[in-house]
Amino acid sequence: MDKLTIWEVFLFSVPEAAVIISIAFGLGGVKFKPKEILYISLLTGIILYFIRPLVSSYIVNVILYIGVLMILFLVFKVMDFFKGMMSVILSVSIYLIIEYLNVTAIQFLFDIDPVILLKDYVLRFECFLPQLLIAILVSFAIRKYKLYLFTE
């Protein structure tokens, strides 16, 4: 896959990781901890900054993303391995669905060529915001309606 610039990591990867982590915390029934989410998302973005250029397959990249999040969840003692694994896999899946629907809708509604989307950073950021906002709303809904994966 393409190598991201460091500013792309902070503009795209870190917020994306933060919202995925927030969804995973919600699904796992873990209290919302902004500081912990920030640290884990920063580390995720930085780690993936170095891993992404080494991986050419999108699916392998997603699997590594899940692996990095799982390791960081264990290091930060967020939740036990099984709960963490299930929450992370489901939260990444939810985010990927949101991303796919967002990109498909934007391409359909505005007839934007994906190649232009990758080259024009302002347009890319404008297209990134709706999926980020939807994912934030999903995270809030999970917390508000207590849609936890596990009951105690």
Side-chain angles (χ1 to χ4, degrees):
M1 296 197 85
D2 295 334
K3 182 171 173 70
L4 295 173
T5 62
I6 196 69
W7 72 270
E8 285 177 297
V9 169
F10 290 104
L11 191 62
F12 297 109
S13 296
V14 172
E16 178 181 279
V19 77
I20 289 170
I21 293 163
S22 176
I23 292 171
F25 272 38
L27 291 171
V30 174
K31 182 181 174 218
F32 187 78
K33 301 173 186 174
K35 220 182 234 188
E36 211 166 82
I37 291 172
L38 177 64
Y39 294 148
I40 296 172
S41 61
L42 282 170
L43 285 170
T44 302
I46 291 167
I47 291 167
L48 292 173
Y49 170 77
F50 293 106
I51 293 175
R52 186 175 176 167
L54 305 173
V55 179
S56 61
S57 169
Y58 180 74
I59 192 67
V60 173
N61 189 40
V62 170
I63 292 167
L64 288 172
Y65 197 105
I66 290 168
V68 167
L69 284 177
M70 279 304 308
I71 291 167
L72 291 173
F73 272 33
L74 292 173
V75 168
F76 280 83
K77 296 180 175 119
V78 173
M79 56 185 98
D80 68 54
F81 180 78
F82 179 74
K83 283 184 180 181
M85 180 179 63
M86 299 312 291
S87 299
V88 166
I89 289 172
L90 189 55
S91 66
V92 169
S93 299
I94 289 168
Y95 188 80
L96 289 175
I97 291 167
I98 292 168
E99 183 175 45
Y100 173 78
L101 293 173
N102 178 59
V103 171
T104 302
I106 287 172
Q107 287 177 344
F108 176 75
L109 293 173
F110 302 109
D111 196 30
I112 297 174
D113 183 9
V115 175
I116 293 171
L117 192 60
L118 291 173
K119 292 180 181 178
D120 185 344
Y121 291 111
V122 173
L123 183 60
R124 186 171 164 195
F125 185 72
E126 288 172 349
C127 292
F128 171 70
L129 284 179
Q131 76 191 38
L132 190 67
L133 292 174
I134 291 168
I136 289 169
L137 290 174
V138 167
S139 177
F140 282 131
I142 289 168
R143 287 185 199 317
K144 179 177 169 96
Y145 297 107
K146 298 181 178 169
L147 302 173
Y148 309 141
L149 291 176
F150 310 98
T151 57
E152 308 249 346

